[in-house]
Each structure stands twice: as structure tokens, then as C-alpha cells.
Amino acid sequence: MIVLSLCNHKGGTGKTTSAVHLAAALGHAGHRVLLADLDPQGFLTRTLGVDEPPPEQSSAVLFEMNRTLGDVAPVACSGFDLIPSSMALTRIMRSLNKPHDVLWAKDSLRQTTLPYDVLLFDTAAAVTVLSLNALVASGFCLIPVTPEHQPVLGAEQTFQTAKLVQSKLNPDLADPMFLLTAVDGRKGTHAAYAEMLHRVYDPLVLRTAIRTSTALSRTYSRGTTAFDHDLAGRGTLDYANAADELLRVVRHGGLRTAVTGRDPSLHATLDRVTPPDDADADAPDLPPSAPVWSPVE
Ligand SMILES: Nc1ncnc2c1ncn2[C@@H]1O[C@H](COP(=O)(O)OP(=O)(O)O)[C@@H](O)[C@H]1O
Ligand SMILES: [Mg+2]
């Protein structure tokens, strides 16, 4: 089973949107996908119109001694199954304060065989014991990042956290990958930060970028996503392409590179040279970045 965490220490960078739509894309492509909401605030669960279940039917079971995800009846969504979040995660997070408390999720997954090809963890926008558990239990990490100053800083910090987990706690974790999200082709700043990420982190930046799309930011009826409501839209096209690209990398075991990241001088340079966004507001929007997949009409 492929286990992948979506992380970025900065909020609002498209983690939850990516988790939902990658799950749907992979699911509609025929893979058996389980999506677990590890954010105590449960935005993903609510985005899918699912009520908070009792803790024993939520992702909180990962941190219980005698239960595993196999004991939870997942919520069937369109193309994938969901293990919802619970507010109990907040209490659990406070109680997990010993060094070995980062191992709960990994141990829990070892104790059960889940009938899925892919397990995705959506995490909160912070370095918490829950997100560390997700990284320790994962073979892969994807960092969704909108190409703007703060999300990029958050992404760089997350990259360093994932590399630390890889070197100290989980040698099976491949190098973290980046997914550019909510990219606006009319913004010069977006182009500049995207270019910077490629310069510092290639080949870890997926070629597919997710463009801004209203269909992706909407909430639909219970358990459905943009794939059910806007199949031919650019949001679904981009996530289908990203899922396809991601799967190709992951199936080869992911990447292990010499990339160390971090060149603070680049940020200073960028802040000086980046044109104001309205300078090119009339520029045409981006074409799809990687026309790998197109929806069946
Ligand atoms: N490609 C996109 N186009 C338009 N809006 C987006 C896109 N991706 C995310 N959003 C919106 O941006 C906000 C933050 O996204 P979200 O996935 O919740 O981020 P995170 O989980 O990292 O906090 C949400 O309102 C979401 O609907
Ligand atoms: Mg989120």
C-alpha cells in the first residue's frame, strides 16, 4: 500500500483541496483509495459534508492501543473512502509528549492489512506530533505550495522537517515532493516563486501545476468532489494529471536526491526583482502544464 502524507507547515496552501482531489482522481482511475483526516479541526471532513463521528470511528484510533483503522467503518465518498477527523485528536495531541509517541500511526498500520492501494493523510498546518506520526508512517510526502512568499517559506520548512524525519525516524520515506497549487498565470509573483522552487528543488517539484479553479474551492453534496460536478473543468484536469505524475514517481519508489534546499538569498533577490502583480494582469492565464490525461466526455 502506498502511504502518502500531505504536509505544509503554512495553512491555506491547498493541502486539503489536494488531498480530496488526488484521492478522487486516483479513485476514479481505478485505485482503491483511503483518505484519513488527521487535522483536529476537521476541515477536510467538513468539506466533504461528513459529520464528526464518535472518536472510535475516526482517525483518532491510530493513537489507541487496541484499535486500528481496520476497525473503523470508513465513509464512502465518490471514488474513495474517508476516515473522518475527530476533536478527540486535540486531546490526544496534548497527551502525546514522549519521543516514542511519533510511532503510533506506523505501529497501528503494521497491525492491520487494509484493502486499499493508496492511503493519504491530510495534516494540519503545523509541526505537531500528529503530522510527525503521518510522516513516520509514510513512504511519501507531498508538499502543496502556492507560489507566494509565505507558503514557499512554509514549504521549505516542511521540506527540512521531512528530511529530518527521513534521516532520524523513517529511512523508508522518499524525498518530499512539491505540488504547485492555486497558480494564477496572470501573476508575475507566482511565476517568479514557481521558477525559484524549480531552481532549488528540481527534480522534486511535480511538472503538473494546479491552476486556480472555482470548481475546486466549492463544497458539494456529501462525499462528492469537483470530479462529480465539473469533470471537464481545469481543476479536475490538473488534479488528474498530478495524480498520474505522482503515481509514476511513487511506483518507482519515489526519489532520493542530493537536493538540500534552502537558499535564503533567493528570497531576498526575489523580493527585489518580482514585478508587482498588476504589471501583467492582462497576460493570458496558464495553459495546462502537463496534458497527460483528459477526461472521457
Ligand atoms: N486551485 C485552487 N483554486 C482556487 N481555490 C483553491 C485552490 N486550491 C485551494 N483553494 C482554496 O484555498 C483555500 C485553502 O485551501 P486548503 O486546501 O483548505 O488549504 P490547506 O489545507 O493547506 O489549509 C480554500 O478555500 C480552498 O478552497
Ligand atoms: Mg487543510
Side-chain angles (χ1 to χ4, degrees), residues 1-294:
M1 184 172 70
I2 293 164
V3 184
L4 181 140
S5 293
L6 291 105
C7 302
N8 188 330
H9 300 341
K10 174 84 176 74
T13 66
K15 287 181 292 299
T16 297
T17 307
S18 299
V20 165
H21 291 92
L22 287 174
L26 291 167
H28 289 305
H31 304 283
R32 296 168 303 167
V33 182
L34 183 63
L35 175 57
D37 186 357
L38 264 187
D39 181 348
Q41 291 189 289
F43 288 126
L44 184 149
T45 302
R46 271 183 275 150
T47 298
L48 287 166
V50 174
D51 293 332
E52 183 185 335
E56 65 274 14
Q57 288 298 322
S58 78
S59 58
V61 297
L62 285 164
F63 308 95
E64 280 182 34
M65 194 72 85
N66 298 315
R67 293 176 70 82
T68 69
L69 284 186
D71 300 314
V72 177
V75 178
C77 296
S78 181
F80 59 94
D81 285 347
L82 168 73
I83 306 279
S85 164
S86 158
M87 287 201 316
L89 285 172
T90 308
R91 174 179 46 76
I92 289 167
M93 197 164 70
R94 290 201 193 107
S95 68
L96 299 180
N97 47 27
K98 311 218 170 40
H100 59 257
D101 281 335
V102 296
L103 301 172
W104 279 93
K106 188 179 187 95
D107 285 347
S108 181
L109 289 185
R110 272 210 200 108
Q111 289 166 36
T112 182
T113 306
L114 297 168
Y116 295 96
D117 305 311
V118 183
L119 167 61
L120 299 176
F121 285 119
D122 184 31
T123 64
V127 194
T128 68
V129 69
L130 302 184
S131 50
L132 288 175
N133 262 273
L135 284 173
V136 172
S138 290
F140 306 94
C141 168
L142 184 67
I143 306 175
V145 50
T146 305
E148 292 171 4
H149 186 73
Q150 290 195 9
V152 167
L153 282 182
E156 296 193 302
Q157 287 164 4
T158 310
F159 178 84
Q160 298 302 336
T161 303
K163 290 294 283 183
L164 200 64
V165 169
Q166 184 190 50
S167 69
K168 304 277 184 213
L169 297 165
N170 179 13
D172 296 336
L173 183 67
D175 278 356
M177 292 170 281
F178 298 88
L179 174 65
L180 290 163
T181 56
V183 180
D184 188 336
R186 294 162 302 185
K187 290 189 174 174
T189 46
H190 278 204
Y193 275 101
E195 202 266 325
M196 187 211 96
L197 271 174
H198 277 286
R199 190 154 17 119
V200 179
Y201 292 97
D202 268 346
L204 299 174
V205 185
L206 294 186
R207 281 175 50 233
T208 310
I210 311 299
R211 294 165 291 171
T212 50
S213 150
T214 317
L216 293 174
S217 59
R218 289 189 48 203
T219 312
Y220 300 102
S221 49
R222 189 179 196 267
T224 67
T225 71
F227 279 88
D228 303 289
H229 301 274
D230 189 34
L231 184 58
R234 65 184 192 171
T236 45
L237 178 68
D238 289 348
Y239 273 112
N241 283 331
D244 196 70
E245 186 183 353
L246 187 63
L247 211 54
R248 270 187 281 135
V249 179
V250 162
R251 276 198 175 135
H252 286 91
L255 300 167
R256 279 169 183 75
T257 67
V259 173
T260 53
R262 264 252 103 122
D263 183 351
S265 62
L266 279 177
H267 281 275
T269 319
L270 263 182
D271 290 343
R272 273 203 311 278
V273 302
T274 307
D277 280 337
D278 57 2
D280 56 356
D282 294 331
D285 204 352
L286 289 179
S289 50
V292 184
W293 182 94
S294 53

